[in-house]
Each structure stands twice: as C-alpha cells, then as structure tokens.
Amino acid sequence: MNPKIIRDPTKMQQWALAERRAGRTLGLVPTMGYLHRGHLSLMDTLRPRVDRLVVSIFVNPIQFGAGEDLDRYPRDWDGDLAACRNAGVDVVFAPEPAAVYPEGFQTTVRVSRLTAGLCGAQRPGHFDGVTTVVAKLFHLTLPHRACFGEKDYQQLAVVRRMVADLAFPVEIVSAPTIREDDGLAMSSRNAYLSPVEREAATSLSRGLFAARKQFHDGERRAAVLAETVRQTIRDHAGAVCTLEYLTVCDAHTLEEIVTIDGDAVIALAAKIGTTRLIDNVILATAAEATATTP
Ligand code: PAF
C-alpha cells in the first residue's frame, strides 16, 4: 500500500496524536532521503516493533555548513516513495524547510562535550543542526521508538545523550552499518564518487577491518591500530584519499584512548576527491552497550 504523505508539520502532529490516543505505538526513521539499503535496514529493524512506522524525508539545511553539499545533496522522491512502500511504511513526513524553520525560528538544541571532537570538530555547528531537527521531528511525529544507524556513530551517541538529558520518552534503537559487497559503507554521498574514487573508497573499510582483526588478535595499543588503518589507506588509495580524522576512542564518551580496556570505536572521516565519507568499526562489546546505554 502507498504510504500516506504528510507535508504540514501541524497535520503530522495531529495524526501522531490521534494514533497515540487510539493506543497505537509509533516508530520514526529520520532520513534526508535518497534512500539506500542502510535506510531500509533501519525501517526493517523498527517495523516489527511498532504499530505505525513513519519515515521523515527532510534535507535539513541547518546541519550543513558553508561550502558543504546542501545544494547538490542527492534527491530521488519517486525512488524514496517506492522504497517506503516496499518497506511497509505508513507515513512519509516530508516538510518544506520553511515549515520546519518558519520566520522567527531561533531555538537550538545543543549537546556539548560529545560534539566537540570527530565530525563535530571538522563541521562546526553540524550536530547543533542535527539535534535541533531531531528534537523537532520527535515533537512532530511523537514516536515511541526511533531508529538510527551505527554508521553515523557520533550522531547516534549524541542523539542518545539528548534523549537522556532532556527526558524525551523515545527509545533509541540502533542498527548496524550496511555495506556494499566490497565493504564500502552505504551512504547517499557514495553517489558522488567517480569509478576511480569509488574503488579508492574501499580503502576505508579495508583499513578499519584490518585494525579490527588486529584487535581481535590481541592488539590493544590505539596508536598501532590507527597506523594499520592509515597504512592500508595509503597503500590502496594513495593521493585520492585524505584523512580528515582517524581516532580510536571510548565508545561512550568518544574521548581518544591510548590503550583499549573497554568498549571502543575506531572512527574516521576522509575526503575521497571532494566527497566526504565517514566510517567506523565498533570494538569489544560496544555494539551491545550503545543499544542499551544512553
Ligand atoms: O542521518 C541523517 O540522515 C540526518 O542527520 C538526520 C538524522 C535525518 C537529521 O537530519
């Protein structure tokens, strides 16, 4: 069945309130569209756990910095709608920017320490844009549960923190990164890559997987694991790839660590040509921990 399309935020909230009054549980998968198998896995994760599934499609202008790809962010409305139909989505919420941020809008939701490093350091204001829009989407769609991908590990941690700190009555569910057959993490931005860049981009997951194997073989020194990632990328992608950051950090605080003795993540951002990609691997029991710990 075709999902119901709602564009007006007030109508979205009225629909959600009516469903809640009728005793139904609601789920939200927030997206910026151009849906791929990563998004579908978020929908599949939530679908059996709620009575009504909402997918928001909104390219959020306030999480893009100056000179970033807001204007060319890929869009595919018909493809997205077909994907939502196949995934059994009940409502697609697709507001216009002016409806989300009307004249006079001046509120920012900000998580401080968790946004200081990693992507937060490279993209000032990005996470303020994410938490502000996610908070608003939660108020408009009133979900009992919302699903976010581990691919955006810092985003997941930041949203969990916001939900805990501000006592949103929303359960945050996470889902593992979905990858292409050659290991490249699914991302809407993969569409920007030329064939040469697409091949070079596989160096990111190769490097991360090599370090994860080293970790499983007993290596606990963060610097050694980081060097393995760096070396693999250098060998495979050479000049096509510039690392923006590479960190081995605590899975909960995201603070850089020297020796791994608990849950940890190796996370990176890199420019492949002009395309910025991120990826990570979760070490030890962090995957379980992020699923349960705010
Ligand atoms: O991960 C994304 O696509 C976006 O950051 C989100 C969560 C939809 C907020 O705009």
Side-chain angles (χ1 to χ4, degrees):
M1 217 172 62
N2 279 336
K4 183 181 171 72
I5 297 167
I6 301 181
R7 293 195 180 273
D8 178 351
T10 308
K11 293 214 168 80
M12 180 68 248
Q13 201 177 47
Q14 283 165 352
W15 179 89
L17 279 169
E19 291 293 319
R20 275 187 166 250
R21 271 191 221 105
R24 286 188 273 271
T25 54
L26 307 182
L28 172 68
V29 175
T31 82
M32 299 207 297
Y34 208 68
L35 303 176
H36 49 67
R37 282 198 286 121
H39 297 111
L40 296 184
S41 91
L42 305 182
M43 298 176 204
D44 291 347
T45 301
L46 219 45
R47 181 65 280 186
R49 302 180 61 170
V50 294
D51 297 320
R52 295 285 182 264
L53 181 60
V54 178
V55 169
S56 60
I57 297 180
F58 180 62
V59 181
N60 175 34
I62 68 165
Q63 70 185 72
F64 290 78
E68 292 188 353
D69 56 345
L70 173 61
D71 293 339
R72 64 172 189 136
Y73 197 82
R75 293 164 203 249
D76 178 10
W77 175 251
D78 292 341
D80 288 353
L81 222 48
C84 288
R85 187 190 315 120
N86 292 338
V89 170
D90 297 291
V91 169
V92 172
F93 176 45
E96 291 298 327
V100 176
Y101 303 116
E103 187 77 19
F105 187 96
Q106 52 189 285
T107 299
T108 301
V109 179
R110 177 156 185 265
V111 173
S112 54
R113 285 195 302 282
L114 273 178
T115 63
L118 289 78
C119 290
Q122 307 291 328
R123 305 180 69 189
H126 166 69
F127 284 113
D128 292 358
V130 170
T131 39
T132 301
V133 82
V134 170
K136 185 148 187 179
L137 289 170
F138 283 176
H139 286 310
L140 295 176
T141 63
L142 302 171
H144 295 81
R145 304 195 168 88
C147 193
F148 292 80
E150 287 169 1
K151 148 104 177 355
D152 297 295
Y153 190 86
Q154 188 175 18
Q155 171 171 281
L156 174 62
V158 166
V159 169
R160 282 191 191 287
R161 191 72 259 165
M162 176 190 80
V163 162
D165 288 355
L166 300 183
F168 277 86
V170 181
E171 180 194 353
I172 302 301
V173 178
S174 64
T177 302
I178 302 296
R179 298 180 181 279
E180 303 282 1
D181 289 346
D182 60 9
L184 179 66
M186 296 259 174
S187 163
S188 304
R189 290 188 168 101
N190 292 349
Y192 299 148
L193 300 170
S194 71
V196 171
E197 291 168 345
R198 171 68 186 74
E199 165 55 23
T202 62
S203 66
L204 307 181
S205 53
R206 281 181 200 224
L208 290 167
F209 294 168
R212 184 175 57 190
K213 176 165 187 321
Q214 236 180 345
F215 170 79
H216 288 315
D217 291 344
E219 181 59 66
R220 292 293 179 269
R221 290 168 297 173
V224 174
L225 299 176
E227 186 47 34
T228 296
V229 180
R230 243 184 229 107
Q231 186 63 49
T232 310
I233 294 174
R234 256 196 312 264
D235 289 351
H236 187 78
V240 183
C241 175
T242 315
L243 269 177
E244 248 182 27
Y245 70 78
L246 167 64
T247 180
V248 183
C249 60
D250 180 280
H252 308 290
T253 64
L254 302 187
E255 279 163 15
E256 198 138 20
I257 47 185
V258 175
T259 307
I260 300 175
D261 57 6
D263 302 328
V265 176
I266 311 178
L268 60 77
K271 277 270 176 70
I272 307 281
T274 56
T275 304
R276 186 178 186 278
L277 299 178
I278 59 172
D279 200 354
N280 69 76
V281 286
I282 301 173
L283 305 177
T285 57
E288 283 162 33
T290 56
T292 54
T293 312

PDB file of all heavy atoms in Angstrom, residues 10 17 24 30 50 55 69-70 82 104 107 117 137 167 174 177 209 215 233 256 263 270-271 283 292:
ATOM      1  N   THR A  10       1.895  20.559  11.370  1.00  0.00           N
ATOM      2  CA  THR A  10       0.748  20.501  12.295  1.00  0.00           C
ATOM      3  C   THR A  10      -0.087  19.255  12.024  1.00  0.00           C
ATOM      4  O   THR A  10      -0.514  18.556  12.955  1.00  0.00           O
ATOM      5  CB  THR A  10      -0.126  21.766  12.127  1.00  0.00           C
ATOM      6  OG1 THR A  10       0.729  22.894  12.240  1.00  0.00           O
ATOM      7  CG2 THR A  10      -1.216  21.842  13.172  1.00  0.00           C
ATOM      8  N   LEU A  17      -0.847  12.288  17.258  1.00  0.00           N
ATOM      9  CA  LEU A  17      -1.643  12.350  18.497  1.00  0.00           C
ATOM     10  C   LEU A  17      -2.846  11.416  18.409  1.00  0.00           C
ATOM     11  O   LEU A  17      -3.157  10.697  19.366  1.00  0.00           O
ATOM     12  CB  LEU A  17      -2.127  13.789  18.733  1.00  0.00           C
ATOM     13  CG  LEU A  17      -1.103  14.734  19.365  1.00  0.00           C
ATOM     14  CD1 LEU A  17      -1.586  16.177  19.299  1.00  0.00           C
ATOM     15  CD2 LEU A  17      -0.834  14.328  20.816  1.00  0.00           C
ATOM     16  N   ARG A  24      -2.022   3.151  19.652  1.00  0.00           N
ATOM     17  CA  ARG A  24      -1.024   2.524  18.780  1.00  0.00           C
ATOM     18  C   ARG A  24       0.383   3.060  19.073  1.00  0.00           C
ATOM     19  O   ARG A  24       0.540   4.222  19.433  1.00  0.00           O
ATOM     20  CB  ARG A  24      -1.396   2.739  17.318  1.00  0.00           C
ATOM     21  CG  ARG A  24      -2.580   1.854  16.908  1.00  0.00           C
ATOM     22  CD  ARG A  24      -2.837   1.892  15.435  1.00  0.00           C
ATOM     23  NE  ARG A  24      -3.715   2.973  15.065  1.00  0.00           N
ATOM     24  CZ  ARG A  24      -5.040   2.886  15.034  1.00  0.00           C
ATOM     25  NH1 ARG A  24      -5.658   1.762  15.348  1.00  0.00           N
ATOM     26  NH2 ARG A  24      -5.762   3.917  14.674  1.00  0.00           N
ATOM     27  N   PRO A  30      14.253   8.812  10.905  1.00  0.00           N
ATOM     28  CA  PRO A  30      14.525  10.115  10.302  1.00  0.00           C
ATOM     29  C   PRO A  30      15.567   9.967   9.195  1.00  0.00           C
ATOM     30  O   PRO A  30      16.596   9.318   9.405  1.00  0.00           O
ATOM     31  CB  PRO A  30      15.096  10.953  11.456  1.00  0.00           C
ATOM     32  CG  PRO A  30      15.274  10.028  12.612  1.00  0.00           C
ATOM     33  CD  PRO A  30      14.966   8.633  12.181  1.00  0.00           C
ATOM     34  N   VAL A  50       6.736  -1.645  16.101  1.00  0.00           N
ATOM     35  CA  VAL A  50       5.758  -0.560  16.271  1.00  0.00           C
ATOM     36  C   VAL A  50       4.507  -0.865  15.451  1.00  0.00           C
ATOM     37  O   VAL A  50       4.551  -1.652  14.505  1.00  0.00           O
ATOM     38  CB  VAL A  50       6.346   0.811  15.822  1.00  0.00           C
ATOM     39  CG1 VAL A  50       7.491   1.237  16.717  1.00  0.00           C
ATOM     40  CG2 VAL A  50       6.807   0.764  14.370  1.00  0.00           C
ATOM     41  N   VAL A  55       8.479   7.527   8.239  1.00  0.00           N
ATOM     42  CA  VAL A  55       9.813   7.885   7.743  1.00  0.00           C
ATOM     43  C   VAL A  55       9.780   9.369   7.405  1.00  0.00           C
ATOM     44  O   VAL A  55       8.887   9.817   6.679  1.00  0.00           O
ATOM     45  CB  VAL A  55      10.194   7.052   6.490  1.00  0.00           C
ATOM     46  CG1 VAL A  55      11.446   7.611   5.820  1.00  0.00           C
ATOM     47  CG2 VAL A  55      10.421   5.597   6.872  1.00  0.00           C
ATOM     48  N   ASP A  69      27.602  20.369   0.931  1.00  0.00           N
ATOM     49  CA  ASP A  69      26.877  19.942  -0.273  1.00  0.00           C
ATOM     50  C   ASP A  69      25.358  20.082  -0.205  1.00  0.00           C
ATOM     51  O   ASP A  69      24.643  19.332  -0.879  1.00  0.00           O
ATOM     52  CB  ASP A  69      27.257  18.488  -0.595  1.00  0.00           C
ATOM     53  CG  ASP A  69      26.992  17.541   0.579  1.00  0.00           C
ATOM     54  OD1 ASP A  69      26.799  18.040   1.700  1.00  0.00           O
ATOM     55  OD2 ASP A  69      26.980  16.320   0.366  1.00  0.00           O
ATOM     56  N   LEU A  70      24.847  21.048   0.585  1.00  0.00           N
ATOM     57  CA  LEU A  70      23.383  21.196   0.687  1.00  0.00           C
ATOM     58  C   LEU A  70      22.722  21.320  -0.689  1.00  0.00           C
ATOM     59  O   LEU A  70      21.730  20.653  -0.978  1.00  0.00           O
ATOM     60  CB  LEU A  70      23.043  22.423   1.556  1.00  0.00           C
ATOM     61  CG  LEU A  70      21.563  22.807   1.622  1.00  0.00           C
ATOM     62  CD1 LEU A  70      20.711  21.684   2.207  1.00  0.00           C
ATOM     63  CD2 LEU A  70      21.356  24.082   2.448  1.00  0.00           C
ATOM     64  N   ALA A  82       8.826   4.680  -3.486  1.00  0.00           N
ATOM     65  CA  ALA A  82       8.725   3.249  -3.807  1.00  0.00           C
ATOM     66  C   ALA A  82       9.400   2.421  -2.710  1.00  0.00           C
ATOM     67  O   ALA A  82       8.861   1.394  -2.268  1.00  0.00           O
ATOM     68  CB  ALA A  82       9.380   2.976  -5.157  1.00  0.00           C
ATOM     69  N   GLY A 104      11.311  33.687  12.226  1.00  0.00           N
ATOM     70  CA  GLY A 104      11.392  33.915  13.675  1.00  0.00           C
ATOM     71  C   GLY A 104      11.962  32.743  14.452  1.00  0.00           C
ATOM     72  O   GLY A 104      12.235  32.866  15.648  1.00  0.00           O
ATOM     73  N   THR A 107      15.594  28.692  18.010  1.00  0.00           N
ATOM     74  CA  THR A 107      15.954  27.757  19.083  1.00  0.00           C
ATOM     75  C   THR A 107      16.987  26.746  18.589  1.00  0.00           C
ATOM     76  O   THR A 107      16.862  26.228  17.478  1.00  0.00           O
ATOM     77  CB  THR A 107      14.690  27.026  19.573  1.00  0.00           C
ATOM     78  OG1 THR A 107      13.782  28.002  20.080  1.00  0.00           O
ATOM     79  CG2 THR A 107      15.009  26.022  20.659  1.00  0.00           C
ATOM     80  N   GLY A 117      34.569  16.659  19.414  1.00  0.00           N
ATOM     81  CA  GLY A 117      35.598  16.034  18.575  1.00  0.00           C
ATOM     82  C   GLY A 117      35.019  15.403  17.324  1.00  0.00           C
ATOM     83  O   GLY A 117      33.885  15.676  16.928  1.00  0.00           O
ATOM     84  N   LEU A 137      11.590  16.872  15.060  1.00  0.00           N
ATOM     85  CA  LEU A 137      10.932  15.710  14.430  1.00  0.00           C
ATOM     86  C   LEU A 137      10.275  14.821  15.483  1.00  0.00           C
ATOM     87  O   LEU A 137       9.193  14.275  15.267  1.00  0.00           O
ATOM     88  CB  LEU A 137      11.940  14.907  13.602  1.00  0.00           C
ATOM     89  CG  LEU A 137      12.422  15.570  12.307  1.00  0.00           C
ATOM     90  CD1 LEU A 137      13.597  14.779  11.712  1.00  0.00           C
ATOM     91  CD2 LEU A 137      11.288  15.686  11.283  1.00  0.00           C
ATOM     92  N   ALA A 167      15.071  13.989  28.665  1.00  0.00           N
ATOM     93  CA  ALA A 167      13.984  13.071  29.050  1.00  0.00           C
ATOM     94  C   ALA A 167      12.913  12.942  27.970  1.00  0.00           C
ATOM     95  O   ALA A 167      11.710  12.965  28.260  1.00  0.00           O
ATOM     96  CB  ALA A 167      13.366  13.527  30.378  1.00  0.00           C
ATOM     97  N   SER A 174      19.316   1.174  17.680  1.00  0.00           N
ATOM     98  CA  SER A 174      20.379   1.326  16.686  1.00  0.00           C
ATOM     99  C   SER A 174      20.423   0.117  15.767  1.00  0.00           C
ATOM    100  O   SER A 174      19.964  -0.969  16.130  1.00  0.00           O
ATOM    101  CB  SER A 174      21.730   1.515  17.375  1.00  0.00           C
ATOM    102  OG  SER A 174      22.063   0.361  18.099  1.00  0.00           O
ATOM    103  N   THR A 177      25.844  -0.938  10.593  1.00  0.00           N
ATOM    104  CA  THR A 177      26.174  -0.361   9.284  1.00  0.00           C
ATOM    105  C   THR A 177      25.941  -1.399   8.188  1.00  0.00           C
ATOM    106  O   THR A 177      26.355  -2.552   8.315  1.00  0.00           O
ATOM    107  CB  THR A 177      27.664   0.058   9.283  1.00  0.00           C
ATOM    108  OG1 THR A 177      27.853   0.996  10.338  1.00  0.00           O
ATOM    109  CG2 THR A 177      28.076   0.676   7.947  1.00  0.00           C
ATOM    110  N   PHE A 209      38.773  -2.763   8.878  1.00  0.00           N
ATOM    111  CA  PHE A 209      38.640  -4.210   9.116  1.00  0.00           C
ATOM    112  C   PHE A 209      39.996  -4.816   9.510  1.00  0.00           C
ATOM    113  O   PHE A 209      40.069  -5.708  10.351  1.00  0.00           O
ATOM    114  CB  PHE A 209      38.101  -4.927   7.879  1.00  0.00           C
ATOM    115  CG  PHE A 209      36.684  -4.554   7.511  1.00  0.00           C
ATOM    116  CD1 PHE A 209      36.157  -4.925   6.275  1.00  0.00           C
ATOM    117  CD2 PHE A 209      35.873  -3.844   8.375  1.00  0.00           C
ATOM    118  CE1 PHE A 209      34.859  -4.589   5.926  1.00  0.00           C
ATOM    119  CE2 PHE A 209      34.567  -3.502   8.027  1.00  0.00           C
ATOM    120  CZ  PHE A 209      34.065  -3.873   6.793  1.00  0.00           C
ATOM    121  N   PHE A 215      42.882  -6.099  16.491  1.00  0.00           N
ATOM    122  CA  PHE A 215      42.301  -6.006  17.843  1.00  0.00           C
ATOM    123  C   PHE A 215      41.845  -7.394  18.311  1.00  0.00           C
ATOM    124  O   PHE A 215      42.135  -7.810  19.439  1.00  0.00           O
ATOM    125  CB  PHE A 215      41.118  -5.028  17.834  1.00  0.00           C
ATOM    126  CG  PHE A 215      40.322  -5.046  19.107  1.00  0.00           C
ATOM    127  CD1 PHE A 215      40.774  -4.368  20.240  1.00  0.00           C
ATOM    128  CD2 PHE A 215      39.140  -5.763  19.198  1.00  0.00           C
ATOM    129  CE1 PHE A 215      40.051  -4.408  21.426  1.00  0.00           C
ATOM    130  CE2 PHE A 215      38.413  -5.803  20.380  1.00  0.00           C
ATOM    131  CZ  PHE A 215      38.872  -5.118  21.499  1.00  0.00           C
ATOM    132  N   ILE A 233      45.089   2.570   3.984  1.00  0.00           N
ATOM    133  CA  ILE A 233      44.508   3.602   3.119  1.00  0.00           C
ATOM    134  C   ILE A 233      45.583   4.163   2.182  1.00  0.00           C
ATOM    135  O   ILE A 233      45.354   4.322   0.978  1.00  0.00           O
ATOM    136  CB  ILE A 233      43.846   4.720   3.961  1.00  0.00           C
ATOM    137  CG1 ILE A 233      42.637   4.152   4.715  1.00  0.00           C
ATOM    138  CG2 ILE A 233      43.437   5.906   3.083  1.00  0.00           C
ATOM    139  CD1 ILE A 233      41.995   5.099   5.685  1.00  0.00           C
ATOM    140  N   GLU A 256      39.428  10.241  23.038  1.00  0.00           N
ATOM    141  CA  GLU A 256      40.530   9.444  22.468  1.00  0.00           C
ATOM    142  C   GLU A 256      41.172   8.589  23.556  1.00  0.00           C
ATOM    143  O   GLU A 256      41.310   9.042  24.689  1.00  0.00           O
ATOM    144  CB  GLU A 256      41.561  10.401  21.866  1.00  0.00           C
ATOM    145  CG  GLU A 256      42.478   9.727  20.900  1.00  0.00           C
ATOM    146  CD  GLU A 256      42.733  10.599  19.661  1.00  0.00           C
ATOM    147  OE1 GLU A 256      42.519  11.826  19.726  1.00  0.00           O
ATOM    148  OE2 GLU A 256      43.148  10.032  18.655  1.00  0.00           O
ATOM    149  N   ASP A 263      34.919  -0.742  25.969  1.00  0.00           N
ATOM    150  CA  ASP A 263      34.276  -0.584  24.661  1.00  0.00           C
ATOM    151  C   ASP A 263      34.924   0.563  23.892  1.00  0.00           C
ATOM    152  O   ASP A 263      35.118   1.646  24.433  1.00  0.00           O
ATOM    153  CB  ASP A 263      32.794  -0.280  24.847  1.00  0.00           C
ATOM    154  CG  ASP A 263      32.103  -1.382  25.634  1.00  0.00           C
ATOM    155  OD1 ASP A 263      32.524  -2.542  25.499  1.00  0.00           O
ATOM    156  OD2 ASP A 263      31.171  -1.070  26.387  1.00  0.00           O
ATOM    157  N   ALA A 270      37.044  10.924   5.823  1.00  0.00           N
ATOM    158  CA  ALA A 270      38.047  11.116   4.773  1.00  0.00           C
ATOM    159  C   ALA A 270      37.415  11.795   3.580  1.00  0.00           C
ATOM    160  O   ALA A 270      36.215  11.662   3.330  1.00  0.00           O
ATOM    161  CB  ALA A 270      38.631   9.765   4.356  1.00  0.00           C
ATOM    162  N   LYS A 271      38.246  12.535   2.885  1.00  0.00           N
ATOM    163  CA  LYS A 271      37.825  13.110   1.602  1.00  0.00           C
ATOM    164  C   LYS A 271      38.338  12.191   0.511  1.00  0.00           C
ATOM    165  O   LYS A 271      39.547  11.923   0.414  1.00  0.00           O
ATOM    166  CB  LYS A 271      38.439  14.494   1.418  1.00  0.00           C
ATOM    167  CG  LYS A 271      37.673  15.609   2.103  1.00  0.00           C
ATOM    168  CD  LYS A 271      36.632  16.191   1.156  1.00  0.00           C
ATOM    169  CE  LYS A 271      35.746  17.252   1.767  1.00  0.00           C
ATOM    170  NZ  LYS A 271      36.438  18.486   2.044  1.00  0.00           N
ATOM    171  N   LEU A 283      34.539  -1.922  18.516  1.00  0.00           N
ATOM    172  CA  LEU A 283      35.354  -2.987  19.079  1.00  0.00           C
ATOM    173  C   LEU A 283      34.756  -3.449  20.401  1.00  0.00           C
ATOM    174  O   LEU A 283      34.061  -2.697  21.067  1.00  0.00           O
ATOM    175  CB  LEU A 283      36.785  -2.491  19.305  1.00  0.00           C
ATOM    176  CG  LEU A 283      37.485  -1.903  18.075  1.00  0.00           C
ATOM    177  CD1 LEU A 283      38.873  -1.387  18.456  1.00  0.00           C
ATOM    178  CD2 LEU A 283      37.599  -2.944  16.958  1.00  0.00           C
ATOM    179  N   THR A 292      21.954  -0.104  24.705  1.00  0.00           N
ATOM    180  CA  THR A 292      21.258  -0.049  25.990  1.00  0.00           C
ATOM    181  C   THR A 292      21.610   1.159  26.842  1.00  0.00           C
ATOM    182  O   THR A 292      20.879   1.512  27.737  1.00  0.00           O
ATOM    183  CB  THR A 292      21.591  -1.314  26.818  1.00  0.00           C
ATOM    184  OG1 THR A 292      22.993  -1.413  26.893  1.00  0.00           O
ATOM    185  CG2 THR A 292      21.017  -2.573  26.198  1.00  0.00           C
TER     186      THR A 292
END
